[in-house]
Amino acid sequence: MTGRKIHLLTVLLCLCQGSLLWAQPLIREVVDTAALQRSAAQLPRLQSLLISQHGELLFEEYYGGRQAQQPANLKSASKSVISALVGLAISEGFIRGVDQPIADFFPDYQAVLATGQKRQITVGNLLTMQSGLESTSNRNYGRWVMSENWVASALGQEQVAAPGTAMIYSTGSTHLLSAIITRSAGMSTREFAQKYLADPLGFRMAYWSQDPQGIYFGGNDMEITPRQMLRFGQLYLDKGVFGDTQVLPEQWVRDSFTPHAESPRGQGRYYGYGWWLREMDGILVPTAWGYGGQLIFVLEELATVVVVTSDSIPGENRRGHLASLYRLMEEQIVIPLRAAESRALRSSD
């Protein structure tokens, strides 16, 4: 999809969100929560399902012996958190902006950055998975995390596309963002996250793994509870506001939910700043996605946030589980809400 088409799609989405805001149906009046609970209980890998609307927690269930206070490993959904931290680092003046070259932060890797077009790679390219570097994920993931220096390995990947021209999903990109936060802010990414994100949202960071040099894993292995995931999603639904505080710049939220790249993983999927944008019932739903079924859905026009956590241990039914989650989300939450919305609009004519 061309940049112009993506831009037009975004404009149409925003227009729909603004014009339909007053017609939002209420979950408790529309969604069959008993049927939803029966469907959820049939998913053996599911661990939690939470739904809030207008900031009110309306559905909260745990499965497989899980409890509310147990942290969940976000897996790659932590990439959305890393994106928020980059936005905060920019607002605090540690990073100039998304157009700043990443070479500014790695003076000790200038020889590596001298190859290909690596000096042209920007912070924004990393956020949108368009660095042009060979992926460190999928078949390359094991070799990358077994390397002695993850930052050096990520920067040393072959340049396979010009920066800003193609989406190449790579956890190495978000790990470089974690290193940039650490280097620019003069504190670990975890300390930064606690000070500028977790403290304002009222919780403590739990377990979070590090690379061999002590850089916190930028894009995996971050643990927070499902309720904290819901709070993070609510922050984005409320345009960066929590309580009476503008925690995250509103423009950052808007930019994060803007399609900056078309995903090669399937039709109707795009990528913003660390957020997937997945088409459901004709609308693009910003989604924080993590391996095995760790998900935060932000339904802006319906004032709703949905959180899902799952068993992430590899198994035969893992792929089928993810498809079942998307189907449950679309068929039992999104479609009923949007159908009620349409009826409300017709009745007002």
Side-chain angles (χ1 to χ4, degrees), residues 17-53:
Q17 289 168 354
S19 62
L20 299 180
L21 196 60
W22 60 272
Q24 290 169 354
L26 297 177
I27 285 175
R28 58 168 57 92
E29 298 172 357
V30 175
V31 174
D32 186 341
T33 54
L36 180 65
Q37 169 67 331
R38 288 194 298 271
S39 297
Q42 293 173 8
L43 301 177
R45 300 182 71 87
L46 187 63
Q47 294 184 337
S48 73
L49 175 60
L50 290 74
I51 307 173
S52 71
Q53 189 178 40

Side-chain angles (χ1 to χ4, degrees), residues 164-244:
T165 62
M167 181 181 176
I168 302 171
Y169 184 82
S170 177
T171 300
S173 289
T174 42
H175 190 65
L176 290 176
L177 290 173
S178 179
I180 286 171
I181 292 168
T182 297
R183 287 173 172 232
S184 64
M187 65 182 82
S188 74
T189 309
R190 179 176 180 152
E191 291 172 322
F192 185 90
Q194 187 63 55
K195 179 176 180 179
Y196 291 101
L197 182 65
D199 278 348
L201 295 186
F203 66 85
R204 300 294 300 173
M205 300 295 295
Y207 174 79
W208 189 359
S209 63
Q210 298 167 270
D211 75 5
Q213 283 66 49
I215 302 296
Y216 282 91
F217 203 160
N220 201 351
D221 281 349
M222 180 190 295
E223 294 190 3
I224 59 177
T225 69
R227 287 181 182 176
Q228 291 163 356
M229 293 170 65
L230 196 71
R231 195 172 297 183
F232 178 71
Q234 188 69 40
L235 177 70
Y236 273 77
L237 181 65
D238 292 338
K239 303 295 186 289
V241 174
F242 181 75
D244 297 325

Side-chain angles (χ1 to χ4, degrees), residues 86-109:
V86 172
L88 289 166
I90 291 173
S91 69
E92 294 294 327
F94 297 116
I95 299 172
R96 290 202 305 272
V98 294
D99 294 329
Q100 186 170 3
I102 67 170
D104 291 355
F105 304 98
F106 300 106
D108 44 339
Y109 291 104

Side-chain angles (χ1 to χ4, degrees), residues 25-330:
L26 297 177
I27 285 175
R28 58 168 57 92
E29 298 172 357
V30 175
V31 174
D32 186 341
T33 54
L36 180 65
Q37 169 67 331
R38 288 194 298 271
S39 297
Q42 293 173 8
L43 301 177
R45 300 182 71 87
L46 187 63
Q47 294 184 337
S48 73
L49 175 60
L50 290 74
I51 307 173
S52 71
Q53 189 178 40
H54 298 291
E56 180 183 358
L57 183 58
L58 300 176
F59 187 98
E60 181 180 27
E61 293 292 339
Y62 296 88
Y63 308 89
R66 298 290 294 187
Q67 297 180 347
Q69 68 271 22
Q70 288 181 269
N73 190 325
L74 299 185
K75 296 298 183 178
S76 285
S78 59
K79 290 177 171 64
S80 301
V81 180
I82 288 291
S83 170
L85 299 182
V86 172
L88 289 166
I90 291 173
S91 69
E92 294 294 327
F94 297 116
I95 299 172
R96 290 202 305 272
V98 294
D99 294 329
Q100 186 170 3
I102 67 170
D104 291 355
F105 304 98
F106 300 106
D108 44 339
Y109 291 104
Q110 292 306 305
V112 174
L113 290 167
T115 62
Q117 297 172 288
K118 294 180 182 180
R119 290 193 183 279
Q120 298 176 23
I121 299 172
T122 65
V123 170
N125 292 150
L126 297 181
L127 282 166
T128 60
M129 297 292 179
Q130 296 182 98
S131 70
L133 298 176
E134 178 64 69
S135 176
T136 60
S137 296
N138 303 315
R139 69 181 185 276
N140 298 326
Y141 183 78
R143 182 170 65 253
W144 176 59
V145 295
M146 290 301 293
S147 68
E148 295 181 355
N149 188 317
W150 295 5
V151 169
S153 179
L155 290 173
Q157 294 297 304
E158 182 183 356
Q159 189 91 42
V160 295
T165 62
M167 181 181 176
I168 302 171
Y169 184 82
S170 177
T171 300
S173 289
T174 42
H175 190 65
L176 290 176
L177 290 173
S178 179
I180 286 171
I181 292 168
T182 297
R183 287 173 172 232
S184 64
M187 65 182 82
S188 74
T189 309
R190 179 176 180 152
E191 291 172 322
F192 185 90
Q194 187 63 55
K195 179 176 180 179
Y196 291 101
L197 182 65
D199 278 348
L201 295 186
F203 66 85
R204 300 294 300 173
M205 300 295 295
Y207 174 79
W208 189 359
S209 63
Q210 298 167 270
D211 75 5
Q213 283 66 49
I215 302 296
Y216 282 91
F217 203 160
N220 201 351
D221 281 349
M222 180 190 295
E223 294 190 3
I224 59 177
T225 69
R227 287 181 182 176
Q228 291 163 356
M229 293 170 65
L230 196 71
R231 195 172 297 183
F232 178 71
Q234 188 69 40
L235 177 70
Y236 273 77
L237 181 65
D238 292 338
K239 303 295 186 289
V241 174
F242 181 75
D244 297 325
T245 304
Q246 187 77 47
V247 176
L248 191 62
E250 179 177 350
Q251 189 58 49
W252 187 259
V253 175
R254 295 185 186 280
D255 292 343
S256 297
F257 288 175
T258 297
H260 294 284
E262 185 172 16
S263 169
R265 295 191 171 193
Q267 186 176 4
R269 303 181 196 178
Y270 307 93
Y271 203 69
Y273 286 168
W275 287 81
W276 292 94
L277 302 159
R278 185 184 179 95
E279 187 175 325
M280 290 188 178
D281 193 35
I283 62 172
L284 289 181
V285 178
T287 306
W289 171 86
Y291 177 89
Q294 328 309 320
L295 300 160
I296 305 172
F297 299 98
V298 181
L299 295 164
E300 296 179 280
E301 71 175 63
L302 301 168
T304 298
V305 180
V306 179
V307 162
V308 176
T309 63
S310 308
D311 181 359
S312 60
I313 298 174
E316 294 181 359
N317 58 356
R318 181 189 64 81
R319 189 174 299 275
H321 173 70
L322 188 60
S324 296
L325 289 177
Y326 286 133
R327 187 163 53 249
L328 179 147
M329 175 71 185
E330 184 167 21

